[in-house]
Amino acid sequence: MIDQVVILLGPPGSGKGTQARRLSADLGVPHVATGEMFRSNVEDDTELGRRARGFMESGRLVPDELVTEMLFVRVAAEDCSCGYVLDGFPRTLGQAEALDRGIEGRWGASVASLEVPDAALVERASGRLLCRNDGNHIYHASFSPPASEGICDQCGGELYRREDDVPEVVAARLGVYREQTAPVLEHYAQAGHLLGVNGDQAPDEVYRTLRAALEGESRENSALEGSTTEGGE
Ligand code: ADP
Ligand code: ADP
């Protein structure tokens, strides 16, 4: 699966980062996570980080212009030239339409949505631990704890809890997801593009389900292309 953008959608804590990291390693394409890009801008105290910070702390979305500009600069880089896995983008209809325009005619897109009940989301977010060296090294205090408390198994970095993973902000983020991101799911569903994936299983099972859905779709597309070619001859 190359020359393909894979878009992973799902509410906060649904496992997008966990699955996207594995998928990008297996497909050999970058994992592009807008939340992680913002967190590193906040950490480095850049102009973008200063503008995004207040929105992130209260669980609101960063305005579309800031997000889309950052995203398009990132995916124009050479390492994204054979495809990439998007995690956390698009989150509004405006972002989805900007992405459609950005990839039109050049890329195919596969869109998968991780489905997880709200109670599990709150539990996942409240135990989430991230590595300070690489925010895509993701743990959970109960479900996937590191071997040594507070230390990343993969690189020895310090583990921390996100400030927006406290219950009030998680609740706000879930509300934002329902209001502003649900129309994005609808947008892809109407285009016949949305693959629903049961995210309420162990991570390995979710990954198997996700891969099977992506591969099923790509087989279907090749069959369709085959029949179009035959019909055109
Ligand atoms: P989650 O793990 O809850 O899905 P992310 O790490 O993707 O969260 O995002 C954290 C925060 O960064 C969001 O609550 C929001 O403030 C900001 N953010 C990330 N991606 C976007 C986006 N595509 N549009 C607007 N804001 C975003
Ligand atoms: P998102 O990027 O969608 O916000 P993450 O991948 O960061 O989600 O996962 C949120 C938390 O839930 C992390 O602590 C992660 O270790 C844990 N987690 C991810 N997938 C699962 C799963 N299938 N079952 C249980 N916990 C999970």
Side-chain angles (χ1 to χ4, degrees):
M1 204 189 326
I2 52 163
D3 286 5
Q4 182 82 1
V5 178
V6 179
I7 302 171
L8 277 190
L9 301 172
S14 57
K16 301 182 295 297
T18 303
Q19 299 298 329
R21 175 172 165 73
R22 190 162 167 188
L23 191 61
S24 91
D26 288 352
L27 299 180
V29 296
H31 170 192
V32 176
T34 46
E36 197 42 46
M37 291 164 81
F38 281 129
R39 278 188 289 282
S40 71
N41 274 278
V42 170
E43 178 77 23
D44 297 344
D45 198 26
T46 65
E47 168 69 23
L48 179 61
R50 283 193 288 273
R51 291 168 75 182
R53 186 178 201 143
F55 295 100
M56 297 171 75
E57 282 174 351
S58 59
R60 285 172 297 154
L61 294 181
V62 176
D64 280 358
E65 319 77 75
L66 295 183
V67 187
T68 47
E69 192 189 333
M70 174 182 79
L71 190 271
F72 285 120
V73 168
R74 172 67 189 93
V75 301
E78 179 58 30
D79 65 337
C80 289
S81 63
C82 288
Y84 46 93
V85 178
L86 278 181
D87 157 9
F89 184 98
R91 265 174 148 105
T92 64
L93 208 47
Q95 292 177 20
E97 287 165 355
L99 183 64
D100 288 349
R101 290 192 294 275
I103 63 181
E104 195 183 10
R106 169 136 190 253
W107 301 95
S110 295
V111 190
S113 162
L114 298 177
E115 294 158 357
V116 177
D118 282 8
L121 296 172
V122 174
E123 220 183 349
R124 286 187 190 183
S126 53
R128 169 163 39 200
L129 299 165
L130 295 181
C131 173
R132 281 216 191 274
N133 291 344
D134 181 339
N136 296 316
H137 295 164
I138 304 168
Y139 300 83
H140 189 281
S142 319
F143 306 141
S144 51
S148 309
E149 201 183 322
I151 297 169
C152 178
D153 293 349
Q154 296 161 77
C155 70
E158 180 203 353
L159 299 183
Y160 76 101
R161 289 179 189 264
R162 277 170 48 179
E163 278 176 30
D164 61 347
D165 273 342
V166 293
E168 317 79 81
V169 185
V170 173
R173 284 155 59 206
L174 286 175
V176 165
Y177 184 80
R178 274 187 217 103
E179 274 177 32
Q180 294 180 261
T181 309
V184 174
L185 300 187
E186 190 52 32
H187 171 79
Y188 290 118
Q190 276 181 3
H193 260 336
L194 190 65
L195 304 166
V197 170
N198 176 9
D200 190 21
Q201 322 174 68
D204 285 353
E205 280 308 308
V206 177
Y207 189 67
R208 265 192 281 279
T209 312
L210 173 64
R211 286 304 298 258
L214 293 172
E215 276 151 28
E217 186 191 55
S218 93
R219 264 197 306 278
E220 233 173 71
N221 288 343
S222 327
L224 279 176
E225 276 164 27
S227 64
T228 315
T229 317
E230 276 160 34
E233 277 171 1

